[in-house]
Amino acid sequence: VGEDSARFDLGQQKISSWIYFAGILGTVLFALDYIWINPLTGFGKDFIHAVEGLSDSHEAVMLILIFIFATVHSGLASFRDTGEKKIGERAYRVLFAGISLPLAMSTMVYFINHRYDGTQLWQLQSVSGVHQLVWILSFISFFFLYPSTFNLLEVAAVDKPKLHMWETGIIRITRHPQMVGQVIWCLAHTLWIGNSVVLAASIGLIAHHLYGVWNGDRRLASRYGEDFKSVKKRTSILPFAAILDGRQKLPKDYYKEFLRLPYLTITLLTLGSYFAHPLMQSASYGLHW
């Protein structure tokens, strides 16, 4: 009933589409820098300062930033059907990304810059095995976090964006992998840093994704009706629950659903982002947000 996630046929790819994608990506990054990041022309710094004016608490500012992003992101997702009917799928995707991306970036930069500013609740970084555990949990989390962004051409609106109802791969483990991935990521980083700012960020992010569980099921039920009910019966929110109680029957070659280019790409990008942490932190510090 549902779609086969992470399926990628190299033979069906058009070079022109990927050239178009590169052009869109370059344009978006240039616009993001000029309108939001650049301290001389962008509004990002003013936005952060405005939110900081609401409270002297880094924890409160962190929660407010997440709340603003979550409200906009989930709100635009909720009105997707109506918006696409009025302005079209591609135009709505551009609107969605154009508003969500700057807010997401501001929230991430503020988190990086202020993650050590809170009250220290525990300190486990010197405990043997904790670093390895945090690294493994963080690595695993990215395989759950990005199952719906495999088709980059849809993300950039080169291909017509769709509301997908996946049923294979990671969806067999949990119907809401992004929520599970976010919980794992938050647990890992809260364990490692162990202070009030990171705890506040984790609470906000997990709350947003728990709302997304309800909102996502609602949207899929509205779009796909009885087909979604069939998928819902065979899947679970809690990881492995549908497998353990027999509702999800794994095929013998289930592992092949992960031996695909998108999962390899996630593996490489996750490893790359780990080694690029110093560069990411340096870039965030340079913004003084």
Side-chain angles (χ1 to χ4, degrees):
V1 174
E3 296 179 68
D4 187 9
S5 67
R7 186 165 190 151
F8 187 87
D9 189 344
L10 191 61
Q12 294 182 356
Q13 302 302 306
K14 297 180 180 178
I15 295 178
S16 58
S17 294
W18 287 102
I19 293 175
Y20 191 24
F21 169 80
I24 291 176
L25 180 62
T27 302
V28 168
L29 293 177
F30 175 81
L32 182 64
D33 177 67
Y34 186 82
I35 298 174
W36 200 255
I37 299 174
N38 192 311
L40 298 178
T41 60
F43 295 97
K45 188 175 182 179
D46 294 333
F47 170 70
I48 292 293
H49 286 173
V51 175
E52 287 179 323
L54 300 175
S55 175
D56 293 329
S57 166
H58 293 301
E59 294 84 355
V61 172
M62 189 77 256
L63 285 171
I64 293 170
L65 287 171
I66 293 174
F67 177 78
I68 293 172
F69 167 76
T71 301
V72 171
H73 188 269
S74 294
L76 289 173
S78 298
F79 288 105
R80 179 174 178 173
D81 287 347
T82 302
E84 288 182 343
K85 290 177 182 177
K86 291 185 177 296
I87 64 175
E89 293 91 340
R90 288 185 171 89
Y92 197 79
R93 172 56 60 88
V94 171
L95 175 67
F96 182 90
I99 298 176
S100 298
L101 188 58
L103 296 177
M105 181 179 180
S106 295
T107 305
M108 289 188 290
V109 169
Y110 189 86
F111 172 80
I112 292 173
N113 288 353
H114 298 280
R115 69 193 187 282
Y116 287 115
D117 290 344
T119 301
Q120 199 66 39
L121 304 175
W122 58 81
Q123 180 59 261
L124 301 176
Q125 294 184 5
S126 60
V127 176
S128 177
V130 171
H131 179 267
Q132 290 80 359
L133 175 62
V134 169
W135 193 94
I136 292 171
L137 289 175
S138 299
F139 183 80
I140 292 173
S141 72
F142 281 87
F143 286 93
F144 286 89
L145 275 168
Y146 297 107
S148 296
T149 55
F150 282 143
N151 192 340
L152 295 178
L153 296 181
E154 280 190 37
V155 174
V158 176
D159 290 346
K160 184 179 291 188
K162 293 173 57 181
L163 178 62
H164 291 277
M165 183 173 65
W166 307 113
E167 197 178 359
T168 64
I170 205 78
I171 304 300
R172 296 186 188 274
I173 298 175
T174 170
R175 190 169 67 253
H176 289 282
Q178 287 176 299
M179 179 274 293
V180 173
Q182 188 65 75
V183 169
I184 295 173
W185 187 93
C186 286
L187 289 176
H189 285 73
T190 304
L191 174 66
W192 180 249
I193 298 176
N195 69 18
S196 55
V197 169
V198 179
L199 181 61
S202 294
I203 291 172
L205 289 170
I206 291 173
H208 171 46
H209 281 76
L210 288 177
Y211 171 79
V213 169
W214 171 82
N215 198 32
D217 278 358
R218 180 190 64 81
R219 293 166 57 216
L220 287 171
S222 176
R223 177 70 64 92
Y224 292 103
E226 291 299 322
D227 285 344
F228 174 68
K229 289 182 179 179
S230 297
V231 171
K232 189 175 181 180
K233 289 178 181 178
R234 294 193 290 270
T235 56
S236 61
I237 296 173
L238 292 177
F240 300 103
I243 297 173
L244 293 175
D245 64 22
R247 289 181 289 126
Q248 176 63 235
K249 304 294 184 182
L250 295 179
K252 293 181 179 179
D253 58 351
Y254 172 59
Y255 68 92
K256 292 183 179 178
E257 295 179 3
F258 290 91
L259 299 179
R260 292 174 171 176
L261 183 59
Y263 284 110
L264 174 61
T265 302
I266 287 178
T267 301
L268 296 175
L269 289 177
T270 302
L271 291 173
S273 66
Y274 173 75
F275 291 110
H277 262 55
L279 295 176
M280 295 163 57
Q281 293 166 6
S282 177
S284 292
Y285 297 153
L287 292 176
H288 303 291
W289 288 359

